Amino acid sequence: MASSLETVGTEIAIVSSPEQLDAAYAIRFEVFCDEQGFTREIEIDEIDPIATHFLLRSKAPPHQALGTARLSLLPPTATHPRGLGKLGRLAVRKAARGSGAGRRLVAAVEEEARRRGVEGVVLSAQMPKVGFYEMLGYKPEGEEYDEDGAPHKKMVKLLD
């Protein structure tokens, strides 16, 4: 995969600098903490230093950051001997919602997961977002559960 996936007016880059990572964190704080009420203390976690981060930004300088997601790799299991990728922290600024930004970020994460050779992608969806992920081919698994005070659902998509 190239370091960015281009669409009209925006690109998705794999984060490659501290400034880009700071921009991704700023989006997460804005969406998850300021809008949804999660605490800043839990937003940056032990997965962040080992994850691959994605940043949706405008192509034209100053490259305004619009959305972010991350991919971490889970170890192989008996069910998934090649392992799974875990999509997490998908966040899109209000100004970019409804533009396909979230869909494009998910596609970028899936493309990188394929490149890494995993069998599929798993995620923990907030309950109001389950339909979004279902439209992208994710299947719910198991019961609803609490994660950080909000109801979530495990979802999985096997990759081609």
Side-chain angles (χ1 to χ4, degrees):
M1 177 177 125
S3 64
S4 66
L5 299 172
E6 295 190 6
T7 59
V8 176
T10 62
E11 63 186 0
I12 298 175
I14 292 178
V15 168
S16 61
S17 73
E19 294 79 18
Q20 289 176 346
L21 188 58
D22 287 346
Y25 288 162
I27 294 167
R28 287 168 44 180
F29 286 142
E30 182 180 315
V31 172
F32 296 124
C33 302
D34 300 344
E35 291 179 23
Q36 297 180 8
F38 292 98
T39 64
R40 289 180 178 264
E41 293 76 27
I42 65 168
E43 182 49 39
I44 306 301
D45 64 17
E46 70 282 356
I47 303 301
D48 283 306
I50 59 172
T52 300
H53 297 266
F54 299 79
L55 188 64
L56 173 73
R57 61 190 184 181
S58 60
K59 285 184 185 177
H63 302 294
Q64 180 186 11
L66 301 169
T68 189
R70 75 179 185 193
L71 170 67
S72 56
L73 300 179
L74 302 177
T77 64
T79 310
H80 301 288
R82 290 191 346 247
L84 294 171
K86 183 169 184 183
L87 186 158
R89 302 302 203 261
L90 174 66
V92 176
R93 287 199 158 124
K94 282 183 184 179
R97 292 181 195 154
S99 70
R103 178 179 39 79
R104 293 193 309 268
L105 281 160
V106 171
V109 168
E110 290 172 357
E111 184 176 330
E112 180 65 12
R114 274 188 197 89
R115 191 186 74 72
R116 303 259 186 118
V118 298
E119 293 179 44
V121 175
V122 63
L123 58 88
S124 181
Q126 293 178 5
M127 289 307 295
K129 304 300 181 195
V130 167
F132 167 76
Y133 290 111
E134 285 177 322
M135 288 187 316
L136 299 176
Y138 286 80
K139 306 275 188 242
E141 285 191 359
E143 298 297 316
E144 181 179 313
Y145 55 91
D146 178 85
E147 186 173 311
D148 300 323
H152 282 71
K153 183 73 138 174
K154 177 181 177 181
M155 302 189 79
V156 178
K157 179 179 181 179
L158 296 179
L159 301 174
D160 302 329

